[in-house]
Every structure is written in C-alpha cells, then in structure tokens.
C-alpha cells in the first residue's frame, strides 16, 4: 500500500474513533475491508483515492464472484461509503464515487415446507388420536379440523383460528375467508376437511350443550379475543409433529401454508390460482414458490421434449 493511501486510511480510522466513537472491532473491520479494496484496485492500476464508480462497482462484483454473501457485500459497501464521504468532506476528492452504487439485493429465502409424506403423517396421526375417547376428545378433534382446513385451503393461521361458528351451518364445498384488508376470497374444501369440521362441530355442540355456553367462533377459547390463540395452535402442532417423528422445530402453521402452495404447484396448479387461494394481493409475493415450478418445468422438458428423448435413447 502506498504511503499516501495508508495515510488517508489511517486518518479516516482516527476520525471514526475520535468523532464517531467507533469500537475497536468496527475500526478493525473498516481497516480490513479498505485494505482488501486497495488490493483489488491495484490490479486495475488505480489507487483507492482516485478510484471511480466503475472501479468500485467492479469490486462489488468481484466480491460476489468470490462467494461473499449479500450481507458481507453490503458491509464492504458501507465501509466504502464512509471512507469516500470522509475524503469528500476533507476536500481530498470533489465527488463521492459511491453515491451511484446500489446495495446488493438480499436473496429471498425459500420458504420452509414439508413433503407430502410428512403432511400425510401429521394428518394420519391427528386422525387416529381424534378417534380415542376421553377428556381430550374435543381438543384432538379440534386439532384434526385445524390441520385439515389449513392444508386444504392454505389460509393464514390468523384467518384460520378466527373462523366464525357459522361455518358449521354452511352447506357445500367452499369456504369464504375474510383476509387482510377485510378482503374476502372463496376457497374449496376437501372432503376430509369437511368431515373433520363436521365431527369437531358435533363434539363441540355436545360439549357446549352440557355447559350451556354460546360462542360466535368456530374454535372458541378462554382468550381475550374469544377464539383459539394462534400461539396455542402452533404449540400443539409442534407436539403433534414430535409424536409423528418429525422435527418439531421445523413445523409451524405457516410451514403448512407453504406446503399447501408448493404441493399445488408441483402437481400442475397455475401460479395465479395459487395467488388467489393464498390471498396474495401481488403476484410477486406468490412468485417465491417459482422454485417449485422450475423443478416441474425441468422434469417436463426432460420427459417430453423430443431432443431429451433422443438423448436417453442414445444412452
């Protein structure tokens, strides 16, 4: 590193320590990041003081090629911004070359989901447990109804636990869900979900008749809202998952919602249809599931494209 570049970096670090009160670890990170930038700029035959925006953009691209995560790239960019703002404030530069640089976009994490076998295992266990008579009968029937409804519709857990009691009186295989912004959407119910809700409703009616209780909710509970808290459902679901031999830490109502969407797409459903069923106002929210579509499209091409078939024949 040239003496001038080293002096500028040292002056910057002194300013960060004296004026900004930066901690030792922060200063060490800045120094390391700026030294790495200096090394890269030497290969482009320029200095850290005279670097242009294009040079700094090339450095960020190089970080990505070297496998740096988006968070690490963003940290390097932050160090660069602080350094060049300092040079500008000190009159060493007449511009800030980082001003037009965009922060690296964080990759959107793929949603956690469950295999079809995992979901079938949960539903089968819930079904078996609901058939056992005893003081927990209503709770077990409730769990089965909750699971069947969630996997049949993909509704949000907040929508599920707040379903009205009038659901028990409705006929037909469709359910009206009141979602975000009071928007309503129509979703179909599976036969198993209808049967589970009916069995739960019969037991609930018998229990409430004995206690002379009346409720406006499908899943009533002694809570502030009057219905089952979603945290209680999440806790009970983890207990069921553990009894089914699954990783309880990886199971939640939201994961079942993801499973609903992923399994539909994997079996040929249209993305717009899934958007409507999930209650997403924007298709971009639903597009997080396109990894499922990508896998299915690759399989379709490998199975049906004539060139793919020819390649298999040659093998």
């Amino acid at each position: 590193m040239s003496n001038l570049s080293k002096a500028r970096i040292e002056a910057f670090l002194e300013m960060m320590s004296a004026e900004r009160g930066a901690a030792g670890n922060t200063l060490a990170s800045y120094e390391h990041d700026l030294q790495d930038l200096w090394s890269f700029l030497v290969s482009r035959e320029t200095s850290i003081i005279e670097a242009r925006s294009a040079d700094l953009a090339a450095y960020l691209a190089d970080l990505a090629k070297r496998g740096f995560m988006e968070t690490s790239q963003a940290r390097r960019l932050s160090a660069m911004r602080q350094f060049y703002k300092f040079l500008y404030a000190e009159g060493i530069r007449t511009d800030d070359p980082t001003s037009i640089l965009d922060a690296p976009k964080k990759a959107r994490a793929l949603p956690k989901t469950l295999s079809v076998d995992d979901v079938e295992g949960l539903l089968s266990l819930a079904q078996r447990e609901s058939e056992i008579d005893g003081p927990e009968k209503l709770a077990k029937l409730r769990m089965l109804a909750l699971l069947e409804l969630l996997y049949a519709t993909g509704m949000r857990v907040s929508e599920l636990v707040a379903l009205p009691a009038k659901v028990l009186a409705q006929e037909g295989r469709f359910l009206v869900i009141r979602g975000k912004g009071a928007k309503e959407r129509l979703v179909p119910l599976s036969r198993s979900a209808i049967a589970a809700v009916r069995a739960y409703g019969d037991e609930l009616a018998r229990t409430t008749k004995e206690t002379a209780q009346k409720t406006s909710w499908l899943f009533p509970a002694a809570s502030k809202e009057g219905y089952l808290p979603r945290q209680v459902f999440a806790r009970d679901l983890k207990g069921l998952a553990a009894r089914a031999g699954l990783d309880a830490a990886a199971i939640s109502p939201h994961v079942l919602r993801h499973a609903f969407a992923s399994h539909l797409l994997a079996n040929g459903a249209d993305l717009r249809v899934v958007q409507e069923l999930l209650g997403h106002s924007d298709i971009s929210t639903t597009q997080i599931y396109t990894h499922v579509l990508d896998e299915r499209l690759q399989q379709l091409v490998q199975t049906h494209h004539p060139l793919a078939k020819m390649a298999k024949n040659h093998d």
Side-chain angles (χ1 to χ4, degrees), residues 20 96 111 133 179 183:
R20 306 282 181 83
D96 177 3
D133 291 326
K183 292 182 179 179

Side-chain angles (χ1 to χ4, degrees), residues 142-185:
R142 182 182 69 185
M143 173 56 75
L144 178 62
L146 286 163
L147 273 183
E148 288 283 5
L149 283 171
L150 185 52
Y151 188 56
T153 66
M155 72 177 88
R156 300 175 180 88
V157 64
S158 57
E159 299 166 344
L160 174 63
V161 296
L163 284 172
K166 64 182 180 182
V167 168
L168 294 170
Q170 74 176 43
E171 296 291 336
R173 293 187 57 189
F174 288 87
L175 181 66
V176 176
I177 299 174
R178 196 175 185 84
K180 289 184 176 180
K183 292 182 179 179
E184 293 185 341
R185 64 187 189 276

Side-chain angles (χ1 to χ4, degrees), residues 126-141 199 203 206:
Q127 177 69 51
R128 292 195 301 272
E129 291 186 348
S130 72
E131 294 169 354
I132 302 172
D133 291 326
E136 296 295 314
K137 179 79 170 179
L138 180 61
K140 300 302 182 184
L141 284 167
E203 184 67 15
R206 187 185 64 79

Side-chain angles (χ1 to χ4, degrees), residues 1-8 38 47-49:
M1 186 181 297
S2 69
N3 289 334
L4 185 58
S5 295
K6 184 177 181 181
R8 298 303 187 200
W38 174 85
S47 73
I48 196 170
I49 300 171

Side-chain angles (χ1 to χ4, degrees), residues 266 268 295-313:
E295 292 170 7
R296 182 162 60 84
L297 288 172
Q298 288 176 17
Q299 188 175 10
L300 280 171
V301 171
Q302 292 299 322
T303 304
H304 299 292
H305 197 286
L307 292 180
K309 289 182 178 179
M310 288 173 62
K312 286 184 178 178
N313 291 334

Side-chain angles (χ1 to χ4, degrees), residues 183-201:
K183 292 182 179 179
E184 293 185 341
R185 64 187 189 276
L186 194 66
V187 296
L189 291 177
S190 63
R191 288 186 174 85
S192 58
I194 293 171
V197 171
R198 186 176 295 125
Y200 162 73

